[in-house]
């Protein structure tokens, strides 16, 4: 089911005309209030950089219910006279998540949105992202239990057949070979959609290795060379769909999408 709210956006005049006003844009990001807490981050039986498991405390914050969509990002591109990212092979579909953005693209969008809407949006931190994936810090290899996938667009049977891949959830078929409209599946226990599926997402953090030390609202190292990506995607097999799974790439890498967060 495609959410009706995903974009309430209209133009009273052509936003691309010189002198057009930002007042002509309307956004509704449906932010979810997340109650903070203390949880165990990482997975000792996972990849090397997911170790050691360590205690993390998260303060209350907001996170957007859905990923930023193609339509939402397009308005930014029109308003700032910049090109859209590279179009994926399935084309641009307005209610699908934006894809092929760099970390800098995501930051530019957020800076523009904050200026336009007088807001203070940001990217979620890696710790916040895992906390939400874990339904508020619950333990377990997967957020839906340690069994077969539910409620996410992952590398399923349809993906395998379309892309000639055997690295899939072999007993799961979500019906999408590529991305899906945001909110097509049931939300997690916190009311957040597509948090561990659909598209890989940028986090605020620069990448760093974990330590045993307990941490309070960690944000990674200052000025690191790589940025963190989190969440499964339509290409994620069981190993890469785990709650603790993390990746890091140069901020210029153009593949992920993103969602918004905000301090309480």
């Amino acid at each position: 089911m495609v959410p009706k709210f995903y974009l309430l956006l209209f133009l009273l005049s052509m936003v691309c005309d010189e002198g057009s006003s930002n007042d002509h844009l309307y956004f509704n990001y449906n932010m979810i209030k997340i109650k903070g807490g203390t949880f165990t981050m990482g997975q000792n039986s996972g990849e090397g950089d997911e170790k050691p498991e360590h205690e993390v405390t998260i303060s209350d914050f907001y996170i957007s219910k859905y990923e930023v969509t193609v339509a939402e990002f397009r308005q930014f591109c029109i308003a700032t006279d910049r090109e859209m990212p590279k179009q994926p092979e399935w084309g641009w579909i307005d209610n699908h998540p934006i894809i092929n953005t760099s970390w800098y693209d995501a930051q530019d969008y957020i800076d523009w949105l904050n200026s336009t809407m007088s807001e203070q949006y940001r990217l979620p931190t890696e710790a916040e992202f895992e906390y939400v994936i874990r339904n508020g810090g619950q333990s377990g290899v997967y957020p839906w239990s340690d069994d077969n996938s539910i409620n996410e667009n992952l590398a399923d049977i349809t993906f395998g057949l379309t892309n000639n891949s055997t690295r899939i959830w072999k007993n799961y078929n979500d019906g999408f070979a590529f991305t899906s409209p945001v909110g097509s599946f049931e939300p997690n226990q916190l009311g957040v959609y597509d948090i561990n599926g659909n598209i890989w997402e940028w986090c605020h953090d620069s990448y760093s290795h974990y330590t045993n030390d307990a941490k309070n609202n960690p944000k990674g190292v200052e000025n690191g060379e790589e940025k963190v990506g989190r969440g499964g995607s339509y290409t994620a097999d069981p190993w890469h769909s785990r709650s603790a799974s993390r990746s890091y790439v140069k901020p210029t890498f153009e593949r992920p999408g993103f969602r918004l967060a905000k301090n309480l």
Side-chain angles (χ1 to χ4, degrees):
M1 178 181 67
V2 178
K4 294 180 180 178
F5 79 90
Y6 84 93
L7 177 69
L8 298 174
L9 196 265
F10 59 88
L11 299 175
L12 300 179
S13 64
M14 295 296 290
V15 295
C16 56
D17 287 347
E18 184 177 356
S20 63
S21 171
N22 287 331
D23 292 340
H24 298 156
L25 303 178
Y26 179 79
F27 303 88
N28 185 349
Y29 283 102
N30 287 267
M31 305 298 285
I32 297 291
K33 180 180 177 180
I34 304 298
K35 176 66 175 176
T38 299
F39 76 109
T40 299
M41 186 172 179
Q43 182 182 335
N44 285 339
S45 59
E47 299 279 2
D49 64 353
E50 296 165 16
K51 311 170 188 177
E53 295 178 5
H54 57 287
E55 183 179 283
V56 172
T57 299
I58 297 293
S59 298
D60 297 354
F61 68 102
Y62 290 103
I63 195 166
S64 57
K65 186 182 291 188
Y66 302 97
E67 299 149 323
V68 172
T69 65
V70 169
E72 288 162 345
F73 197 85
R74 181 184 291 114
Q75 293 309 305
F76 157 65
C77 291
I78 292 172
T80 58
D81 193 28
R82 64 193 285 163
E83 294 184 359
M84 287 283 283
K86 180 181 178 181
Q87 182 170 279
E89 61 185 283
W90 56 91
W92 291 126
I93 306 174
D94 279 359
N95 63 350
H96 283 225
I98 189 64
I99 190 173
N100 295 342
T101 63
S102 71
W103 187 87
Y104 297 117
D105 290 335
Q107 290 292 344
D108 287 347
Y109 176 87
I110 290 171
D111 289 345
W112 170 78
L113 187 63
N114 286 340
S115 176
T116 300
M117 306 302 293
S118 299
E119 276 287 0
Q120 295 183 327
Y121 295 121
R122 58 175 174 79
L123 290 172
T125 67
E126 181 181 15
E128 288 172 340
F129 211 103
E130 183 167 331
Y131 184 76
V132 175
I133 286 178
R134 291 184 177 278
N135 296 298
Q138 296 177 17
S139 62
V141 174
Y142 300 104
W144 45 75
S145 80
D146 293 344
D147 298 319
N148 209 16
S149 170
I150 58 172
N151 292 343
E152 293 288 1
N153 178 8
L154 299 169
D156 66 327
I157 294 171
T158 298
F159 171 86
L161 291 173
T162 304
N163 297 280
N164 193 29
S165 174
T166 59
R167 298 181 62 180
I168 64 171
W169 289 86
K170 294 182 171 55
N171 297 312
Y172 180 62
N173 195 350
D174 58 47
F176 291 97
F178 302 108
T179 59
S180 55
V182 298
S184 294
F185 301 87
E186 292 297 317
N188 75 354
Q189 295 175 26
L190 302 181
V192 182
Y193 291 79
D194 302 311
I195 191 66
N196 202 29
N198 210 5
I199 188 63
W200 188 34
E201 301 180 32
W202 285 113
C203 293
H204 167 273
D205 307 46
S206 292
Y207 171 79
S208 61
H209 291 284
Y210 294 158
T211 68
N212 286 308
D213 301 330
K215 296 179 176 62
N216 186 36
N217 295 311
K219 296 181 179 179
V221 298
E222 292 289 335
N223 303 317
E225 293 185 359
E226 291 94 10
K227 296 295 183 180
V228 177
R230 277 297 197 129
S233 75
Y234 72 93
T235 67
D237 59 22
W239 182 251
H240 294 97
S241 303
R242 294 171 298 106
S243 298
S245 181
R246 61 197 303 240
S247 299
Y248 58 95
V249 290
K250 298 287 187 182
T252 53
F253 179 70
E254 297 177 342
R255 183 59 178 172
F258 62 98
R259 73 176 67 222
L260 306 177
K262 187 169 70 169
N263 294 341
L264 193 60

